[in-house]
PDB file of all heavy atoms in Angstrom:
ATOM      1  N   HIS A 249      90.190 104.647  83.047  1.00  0.00           N
ATOM      2  CA  HIS A 249      90.801 103.614  82.191  1.00  0.00           C
ATOM      3  C   HIS A 249      90.006 102.312  82.265  1.00  0.00           C
ATOM      4  O   HIS A 249      89.788 101.651  81.244  1.00  0.00           O
ATOM      5  CB  HIS A 249      92.246 103.378  82.623  1.00  0.00           C
ATOM      6  CG  HIS A 249      92.944 102.287  81.867  1.00  0.00           C
ATOM      7  ND1 HIS A 249      93.307 102.405  80.549  1.00  0.00           N
ATOM      8  CD2 HIS A 249      93.345 101.054  82.264  1.00  0.00           C
ATOM      9  CE1 HIS A 249      93.898 101.296  80.149  1.00  0.00           C
ATOM     10  NE2 HIS A 249      93.941 100.453  81.166  1.00  0.00           N
ATOM     11  N   TYR A 250      89.579 101.950  83.474  1.00  0.00           N
ATOM     12  CA  TYR A 250      88.843 100.693  83.664  1.00  0.00           C
ATOM     13  C   TYR A 250      87.329 100.887  83.601  1.00  0.00           C
ATOM     14  O   TYR A 250      86.577  99.922  83.773  1.00  0.00           O
ATOM     15  CB  TYR A 250      89.228 100.059  85.002  1.00  0.00           C
ATOM     16  CG  TYR A 250      90.603  99.447  84.974  1.00  0.00           C
ATOM     17  CD1 TYR A 250      91.654 100.022  85.691  1.00  0.00           C
ATOM     18  CD2 TYR A 250      90.867  98.303  84.225  1.00  0.00           C
ATOM     19  CE1 TYR A 250      92.924  99.468  85.674  1.00  0.00           C
ATOM     20  CE2 TYR A 250      92.136  97.754  84.198  1.00  0.00           C
ATOM     21  CZ  TYR A 250      93.160  98.334  84.920  1.00  0.00           C
ATOM     22  OH  TYR A 250      94.410  97.791  84.888  1.00  0.00           O
ATOM     23  N   GLN A 251      86.890 102.138  83.395  1.00  0.00           N
ATOM     24  CA  GLN A 251      85.469 102.464  83.281  1.00  0.00           C
ATOM     25  C   GLN A 251      84.693 102.009  84.523  1.00  0.00           C
ATOM     26  O   GLN A 251      83.649 101.359  84.434  1.00  0.00           O
ATOM     27  CB  GLN A 251      84.882 101.852  82.006  1.00  0.00           C
ATOM     28  CG  GLN A 251      85.519 102.419  80.736  1.00  0.00           C
ATOM     29  CD  GLN A 251      84.888 101.887  79.458  1.00  0.00           C
ATOM     30  OE1 GLN A 251      84.228 100.857  79.451  1.00  0.00           O
ATOM     31  NE2 GLN A 251      85.067 102.606  78.361  1.00  0.00           N
ATOM     32  N   VAL A 252      85.253 102.350  85.674  1.00  0.00           N
ATOM     33  CA  VAL A 252      84.615 102.070  86.958  1.00  0.00           C
ATOM     34  C   VAL A 252      84.660 103.350  87.794  1.00  0.00           C
ATOM     35  O   VAL A 252      85.320 104.325  87.429  1.00  0.00           O
ATOM     36  CB  VAL A 252      85.325 100.921  87.717  1.00  0.00           C
ATOM     37  CG1 VAL A 252      85.231  99.618  86.936  1.00  0.00           C
ATOM     38  CG2 VAL A 252      86.782 101.276  88.010  1.00  0.00           C
ATOM     39  N   LYS A 253      83.954 103.334  88.902  1.00  0.00           N
ATOM     40  CA  LYS A 253      83.997 104.463  89.830  1.00  0.00           C
ATOM     41  C   LYS A 253      85.335 104.460  90.570  1.00  0.00           C
ATOM     42  O   LYS A 253      85.897 103.413  90.862  1.00  0.00           O
ATOM     43  CB  LYS A 253      82.856 104.380  90.834  1.00  0.00           C
ATOM     44  CG  LYS A 253      81.479 104.624  90.241  1.00  0.00           C
ATOM     45  CD  LYS A 253      80.414 104.587  91.332  1.00  0.00           C
ATOM     46  CE  LYS A 253      79.031 104.876  90.746  1.00  0.00           C
ATOM     47  NZ  LYS A 253      77.986 104.839  91.805  1.00  0.00           N
ATOM     48  N   ALA A 254      85.828 105.640  90.873  1.00  0.00           N
ATOM     49  CA  ALA A 254      87.035 105.754  91.690  1.00  0.00           C
ATOM     50  C   ALA A 254      86.758 105.203  93.081  1.00  0.00           C
ATOM     51  O   ALA A 254      85.615 105.237  93.561  1.00  0.00           O
ATOM     52  CB  ALA A 254      87.479 107.212  91.782  1.00  0.00           C
ATOM     53  N   PRO A 255      87.764 104.644  93.762  1.00  0.00           N
ATOM     54  CA  PRO A 255      87.554 104.106  95.105  1.00  0.00           C
ATOM     55  C   PRO A 255      86.928 105.142  96.037  1.00  0.00           C
ATOM     56  O   PRO A 255      87.234 106.333  95.950  1.00  0.00           O
ATOM     57  CB  PRO A 255      88.970 103.727  95.563  1.00  0.00           C
ATOM     58  CG  PRO A 255      89.753 103.566  94.307  1.00  0.00           C
ATOM     59  CD  PRO A 255      89.169 104.545  93.332  1.00  0.00           C
ATOM     60  N   TRP A 256      86.082 104.679  96.937  1.00  0.00           N
ATOM     61  CA  TRP A 256      85.378 105.587  97.834  1.00  0.00           C
ATOM     62  C   TRP A 256      86.328 106.388  98.712  1.00  0.00           C
ATOM     63  O   TRP A 256      86.033 107.510  99.127  1.00  0.00           O
ATOM     64  CB  TRP A 256      84.405 104.803  98.720  1.00  0.00           C
ATOM     65  CG  TRP A 256      85.075 103.823  99.650  1.00  0.00           C
ATOM     66  CD1 TRP A 256      85.322 102.514  99.416  1.00  0.00           C
ATOM     67  CD2 TRP A 256      85.597 104.105 100.952  1.00  0.00           C
ATOM     68  NE1 TRP A 256      85.975 101.932 100.480  1.00  0.00           N
ATOM     69  CE2 TRP A 256      86.151 102.887 101.451  1.00  0.00           C
ATOM     70  CE3 TRP A 256      85.663 105.235 101.763  1.00  0.00           C
ATOM     71  CZ2 TRP A 256      86.759 102.787 102.691  1.00  0.00           C
ATOM     72  CZ3 TRP A 256      86.262 105.145 103.016  1.00  0.00           C
ATOM     73  CH2 TRP A 256      86.789 103.923 103.464  1.00  0.00           C
ATOM     74  N   TRP A 257      87.518 105.805  98.982  1.00  0.00           N
ATOM     75  CA  TRP A 257      88.455 106.454  99.887  1.00  0.00           C
ATOM     76  C   TRP A 257      89.334 107.501  99.191  1.00  0.00           C
ATOM     77  O   TRP A 257      90.198 108.114  99.827  1.00  0.00           O
ATOM     78  CB  TRP A 257      89.355 105.410 100.552  1.00  0.00           C
ATOM     79  CG  TRP A 257      89.854 104.320  99.640  1.00  0.00           C
ATOM     80  CD1 TRP A 257      89.310 103.088  99.460  1.00  0.00           C
ATOM     81  CD2 TRP A 257      91.000 104.377  98.766  1.00  0.00           C
ATOM     82  NE1 TRP A 257      90.034 102.359  98.542  1.00  0.00           N
ATOM     83  CE2 TRP A 257      91.075 103.124  98.105  1.00  0.00           C
ATOM     84  CE3 TRP A 257      91.963 105.349  98.491  1.00  0.00           C
ATOM     85  CZ2 TRP A 257      92.086 102.824  97.182  1.00  0.00           C
ATOM     86  CZ3 TRP A 257      92.968 105.056  97.570  1.00  0.00           C
ATOM     87  CH2 TRP A 257      93.027 103.814  96.935  1.00  0.00           C
ATOM     88  N   ARG A 258      89.092 107.725  97.913  1.00  0.00           N
ATOM     89  CA  ARG A 258      89.893 108.713  97.182  1.00  0.00           C
ATOM     90  C   ARG A 258      89.853 110.081  97.852  1.00  0.00           C
ATOM     91  O   ARG A 258      90.885 110.762  97.975  1.00  0.00           O
ATOM     92  CB  ARG A 258      89.384 108.802  95.738  1.00  0.00           C
ATOM     93  CG  ARG A 258      90.099 109.842  94.881  1.00  0.00           C
ATOM     94  CD  ARG A 258      89.378 109.999  93.551  1.00  0.00           C
ATOM     95  NE  ARG A 258      90.003 110.994  92.695  1.00  0.00           N
ATOM     96  CZ  ARG A 258      89.439 111.520  91.638  1.00  0.00           C
ATOM     97  NH1 ARG A 258      88.219 111.129  91.283  1.00  0.00           N
ATOM     98  NH2 ARG A 258      90.058 112.420  90.905  1.00  0.00           N
ATOM     99  N   GLY A 259      88.673 110.485  98.294  1.00  0.00           N
ATOM    100  CA  GLY A 259      88.531 111.797  98.907  1.00  0.00           C
ATOM    101  C   GLY A 259      89.214 111.932 100.254  1.00  0.00           C
ATOM    102  O   GLY A 259      89.383 113.050 100.758  1.00  0.00           O
ATOM    103  N   LEU A 260      89.611 110.811 100.857  1.00  0.00           N
ATOM    104  CA  LEU A 260      90.272 110.846 102.164  1.00  0.00           C
ATOM    105  C   LEU A 260      91.772 111.061 102.054  1.00  0.00           C
ATOM    106  O   LEU A 260      92.459 111.204 103.067  1.00  0.00           O
ATOM    107  CB  LEU A 260      89.999 109.543 102.918  1.00  0.00           C
ATOM    108  CG  LEU A 260      88.525 109.202 103.170  1.00  0.00           C
ATOM    109  CD1 LEU A 260      88.419 107.866 103.896  1.00  0.00           C
ATOM    110  CD2 LEU A 260      87.835 110.312 103.959  1.00  0.00           C
ATOM    111  N   LEU A 261      92.288 111.038 100.817  1.00  0.00           N
ATOM    112  CA  LEU A 261      93.728 111.178 100.622  1.00  0.00           C
ATOM    113  C   LEU A 261      94.138 112.641 100.743  1.00  0.00           C
ATOM    114  O   LEU A 261      94.126 113.393  99.782  1.00  0.00           O
ATOM    115  CB  LEU A 261      94.133 110.628  99.249  1.00  0.00           C
ATOM    116  CG  LEU A 261      94.096 109.117  99.091  1.00  0.00           C
ATOM    117  CD1 LEU A 261      94.360 108.724  97.642  1.00  0.00           C
ATOM    118  CD2 LEU A 261      95.123 108.452  99.993  1.00  0.00           C
ATOM    119  N   GLY A 262      94.482 113.024 101.940  1.00  0.00           N
ATOM    120  CA  GLY A 262      94.941 114.380 102.195  1.00  0.00           C
ATOM    121  C   GLY A 262      96.289 114.359 102.884  1.00  0.00           C
ATOM    122  O   GLY A 262      96.762 113.307 103.338  1.00  0.00           O
ATOM    123  N   ALA A 263      96.915 115.520 102.994  1.00  0.00           N
ATOM    124  CA  ALA A 263      98.251 115.602 103.578  1.00  0.00           C
ATOM    125  C   ALA A 263      98.270 115.106 105.026  1.00  0.00           C
ATOM    126  O   ALA A 263      99.165 114.369 105.437  1.00  0.00           O
ATOM    127  CB  ALA A 263      98.764 117.037 103.499  1.00  0.00           C
ATOM    128  N   TRP A 264      97.242 115.508 105.798  1.00  0.00           N
ATOM    129  CA  TRP A 264      97.254 115.130 107.222  1.00  0.00           C
ATOM    130  C   TRP A 264      97.133 113.619 107.381  1.00  0.00           C
ATOM    131  O   TRP A 264      97.880 112.991 108.122  1.00  0.00           O
ATOM    132  CB  TRP A 264      96.103 115.825 107.960  1.00  0.00           C
ATOM    133  CG  TRP A 264      96.141 115.536 109.439  1.00  0.00           C
ATOM    134  CD1 TRP A 264      96.794 116.252 110.393  1.00  0.00           C
ATOM    135  CD2 TRP A 264      95.530 114.430 110.114  1.00  0.00           C
ATOM    136  NE1 TRP A 264      96.631 115.670 111.632  1.00  0.00           N
ATOM    137  CE2 TRP A 264      95.856 114.548 111.491  1.00  0.00           C
ATOM    138  CE3 TRP A 264      94.748 113.363 109.708  1.00  0.00           C
ATOM    139  CZ2 TRP A 264      95.424 113.632 112.448  1.00  0.00           C
ATOM    140  CZ3 TRP A 264      94.314 112.440 110.657  1.00  0.00           C
ATOM    141  CH2 TRP A 264      94.644 112.586 112.011  1.00  0.00           C
ATOM    142  N   GLY A 265      96.180 112.998 106.660  1.00  0.00           N
ATOM    143  CA  GLY A 265      95.973 111.564 106.793  1.00  0.00           C
ATOM    144  C   GLY A 265      97.166 110.758 106.322  1.00  0.00           C
ATOM    145  O   GLY A 265      97.557 109.774 106.962  1.00  0.00           O
ATOM    146  N   ILE A 266      97.768 111.169 105.202  1.00  0.00           N
ATOM    147  CA  ILE A 266      98.939 110.455 104.696  1.00  0.00           C
ATOM    148  C   ILE A 266     100.106 110.591 105.661  1.00  0.00           C
ATOM    149  O   ILE A 266     100.813 109.627 105.951  1.00  0.00           O
ATOM    150  CB  ILE A 266      99.316 110.983 103.298  1.00  0.00           C
ATOM    151  CG1 ILE A 266      98.266 110.537 102.275  1.00  0.00           C
ATOM    152  CG2 ILE A 266     100.700 110.485 102.885  1.00  0.00           C
ATOM    153  CD1 ILE A 266      98.445 111.149 100.918  1.00  0.00           C
ATOM    154  N   GLY A 267     100.289 111.788 106.209  1.00  0.00           N
ATOM    155  CA  GLY A 267     101.368 111.988 107.171  1.00  0.00           C
ATOM    156  C   GLY A 267     101.191 111.135 108.414  1.00  0.00           C
ATOM    157  O   GLY A 267     102.147 110.525 108.904  1.00  0.00           O
ATOM    158  N   ALA A 268      99.962 111.063 108.924  1.00  0.00           N
ATOM    159  CA  ALA A 268      99.696 110.249 110.113  1.00  0.00           C
ATOM    160  C   ALA A 268      99.916 108.769 109.829  1.00  0.00           C
ATOM    161  O   ALA A 268     100.474 108.031 110.652  1.00  0.00           O
ATOM    162  CB  ALA A 268      98.263 110.503 110.590  1.00  0.00           C
ATOM    163  N   LEU A 269      99.484 108.330 108.640  1.00  0.00           N
ATOM    164  CA  LEU A 269      99.655 106.922 108.278  1.00  0.00           C
ATOM    165  C   LEU A 269     101.127 106.566 108.141  1.00  0.00           C
ATOM    166  O   LEU A 269     101.563 105.508 108.610  1.00  0.00           O
ATOM    167  CB  LEU A 269      98.918 106.655 106.962  1.00  0.00           C
ATOM    168  CG  LEU A 269      98.927 105.205 106.467  1.00  0.00           C
ATOM    169  CD1 LEU A 269      98.212 104.302 107.458  1.00  0.00           C
ATOM    170  CD2 LEU A 269      98.261 105.115 105.099  1.00  0.00           C
ATOM    171  N   MET A 270     101.907 107.426 107.526  1.00  0.00           N
ATOM    172  CA  MET A 270     103.337 107.159 107.369  1.00  0.00           C
ATOM    173  C   MET A 270     104.045 107.146 108.717  1.00  0.00           C
ATOM    174  O   MET A 270     104.936 106.326 108.964  1.00  0.00           O
ATOM    175  CB  MET A 270     103.961 108.191 106.439  1.00  0.00           C
ATOM    176  CG  MET A 270     103.470 108.093 105.001  1.00  0.00           C
ATOM    177  SD  MET A 270     104.246 109.286 103.882  1.00  0.00           S
ATOM    178  CE  MET A 270     105.838 108.494 103.611  1.00  0.00           C
ATOM    179  N   ALA A 271     103.654 108.036 109.613  1.00  0.00           N
ATOM    180  CA  ALA A 271     104.270 108.069 110.945  1.00  0.00           C
ATOM    181  C   ALA A 271     103.956 106.793 111.713  1.00  0.00           C
ATOM    182  O   ALA A 271     104.832 106.210 112.369  1.00  0.00           O
ATOM    183  CB  ALA A 271     103.772 109.293 111.711  1.00  0.00           C
ATOM    184  N   ALA A 272     102.696 106.328 111.614  1.00  0.00           N
ATOM    185  CA  ALA A 272     102.322 105.090 112.296  1.00  0.00           C
ATOM    186  C   ALA A 272     103.048 103.890 111.698  1.00  0.00           C
ATOM    187  O   ALA A 272     103.522 103.010 112.427  1.00  0.00           O
ATOM    188  CB  ALA A 272     100.804 104.893 112.204  1.00  0.00           C
ATOM    189  N   ALA A 273     103.156 103.870 110.362  1.00  0.00           N
ATOM    190  CA  ALA A 273     103.844 102.748 109.713  1.00  0.00           C
ATOM    191  C   ALA A 273     105.310 102.705 110.114  1.00  0.00           C
ATOM    192  O   ALA A 273     105.857 101.635 110.393  1.00  0.00           O
ATOM    193  CB  ALA A 273     103.710 102.875 108.198  1.00  0.00           C
ATOM    194  N   ARG A 274     105.943 103.856 110.165  1.00  0.00           N
ATOM    195  CA  ARG A 274     107.356 103.890 110.548  1.00  0.00           C
ATOM    196  C   ARG A 274     107.550 103.400 111.977  1.00  0.00           C
ATOM    197  O   ARG A 274     108.553 102.756 112.293  1.00  0.00           O
ATOM    198  CB  ARG A 274     107.883 105.319 110.402  1.00  0.00           C
ATOM    199  CG  ARG A 274     109.373 105.442 110.676  1.00  0.00           C
ATOM    200  CD  ARG A 274     109.859 106.853 110.469  1.00  0.00           C
ATOM    201  NE  ARG A 274     111.294 106.936 110.668  1.00  0.00           N
ATOM    202  CZ  ARG A 274     111.994 108.061 110.593  1.00  0.00           C
ATOM    203  NH1 ARG A 274     111.381 109.200 110.309  1.00  0.00           N
ATOM    204  NH2 ARG A 274     113.292 108.067 110.789  1.00  0.00           N
ATOM    205  N   ARG A 275     106.585 103.682 112.829  1.00  0.00           N
ATOM    206  CA  ARG A 275     106.733 103.295 114.234  1.00  0.00           C
ATOM    207  C   ARG A 275     106.447 101.820 114.465  1.00  0.00           C
ATOM    208  O   ARG A 275     107.126 101.159 115.255  1.00  0.00           O
ATOM    209  CB  ARG A 275     105.792 104.142 115.094  1.00  0.00           C
ATOM    210  CG  ARG A 275     105.854 103.797 116.572  1.00  0.00           C
ATOM    211  CD  ARG A 275     105.002 104.743 117.399  1.00  0.00           C
ATOM    212  NE  ARG A 275     105.087 104.431 118.821  1.00  0.00           N
ATOM    213  CZ  ARG A 275     104.434 105.088 119.770  1.00  0.00           C
ATOM    214  NH1 ARG A 275     103.660 106.122 119.437  1.00  0.00           N
ATOM    215  NH2 ARG A 275     104.560 104.743 121.036  1.00  0.00           N
ATOM    216  N   TRP A 276     105.457 101.268 113.741  1.00  0.00           N
ATOM    217  CA  TRP A 276     104.972  99.939 114.087  1.00  0.00           C
ATOM    218  C   TRP A 276     105.443  98.810 113.176  1.00  0.00           C
ATOM    219  O   TRP A 276     105.435  97.651 113.593  1.00  0.00           O
ATOM    220  CB  TRP A 276     103.442  99.941 114.137  1.00  0.00           C
ATOM    221  CG  TRP A 276     102.887 100.823 115.217  1.00  0.00           C
ATOM    222  CD1 TRP A 276     102.226 101.997 115.065  1.00  0.00           C
ATOM    223  CD2 TRP A 276     102.991 100.607 116.636  1.00  0.00           C
ATOM    224  NE1 TRP A 276     101.892 102.533 116.287  1.00  0.00           N
ATOM    225  CE2 TRP A 276     102.352 101.691 117.273  1.00  0.00           C
ATOM    226  CE3 TRP A 276     103.565  99.601 117.423  1.00  0.00           C
ATOM    227  CZ2 TRP A 276     102.272 101.798 118.655  1.00  0.00           C
ATOM    228  CZ3 TRP A 276     103.467  99.716 118.800  1.00  0.00           C
ATOM    229  CH2 TRP A 276     102.835 100.798 119.403  1.00  0.00           C
ATOM    230  N   LEU A 277     105.835  99.114 111.964  1.00  0.00           N
ATOM    231  CA  LEU A 277     106.296  98.031 111.089  1.00  0.00           C
ATOM    232  C   LEU A 277     107.670  97.540 111.528  1.00  0.00           C
ATOM    233  O   LEU A 277     108.530  98.351 111.903  1.00  0.00           O
ATOM    234  CB  LEU A 277     106.345  98.490 109.632  1.00  0.00           C
ATOM    235  CG  LEU A 277     105.015  98.838 108.971  1.00  0.00           C
ATOM    236  CD1 LEU A 277     105.210  99.071 107.474  1.00  0.00           C
ATOM    237  CD2 LEU A 277     103.970  97.772 109.206  1.00  0.00           C
ATOM    238  N   PRO A 278     107.913  96.227 111.475  1.00  0.00           N
ATOM    239  CA  PRO A 278     109.164  95.657 111.995  1.00  0.00           C
ATOM    240  C   PRO A 278     110.309  95.741 110.994  1.00  0.00           C
ATOM    241  O   PRO A 278     111.011  94.752 110.749  1.00  0.00           O
ATOM    242  CB  PRO A 278     108.770  94.204 112.279  1.00  0.00           C
ATOM    243  CG  PRO A 278     107.770  93.880 111.224  1.00  0.00           C
ATOM    244  CD  PRO A 278     106.981  95.165 111.030  1.00  0.00           C
TER     245      PRO A 278
END
Side-chain angles (χ1 to χ4, degrees):
H249 177 70
Y250 286 110
Q251 297 184 341
V252 297
K253 290 183 178 180
W256 64 267
W257 42 265
R258 178 189 179 195
L260 302 179
L261 288 173
W264 184 90
I266 289 172
L269 183 63
M270 293 182 78
R274 184 178 183 182
R275 179 175 181 181
W276 296 110
L277 295 189

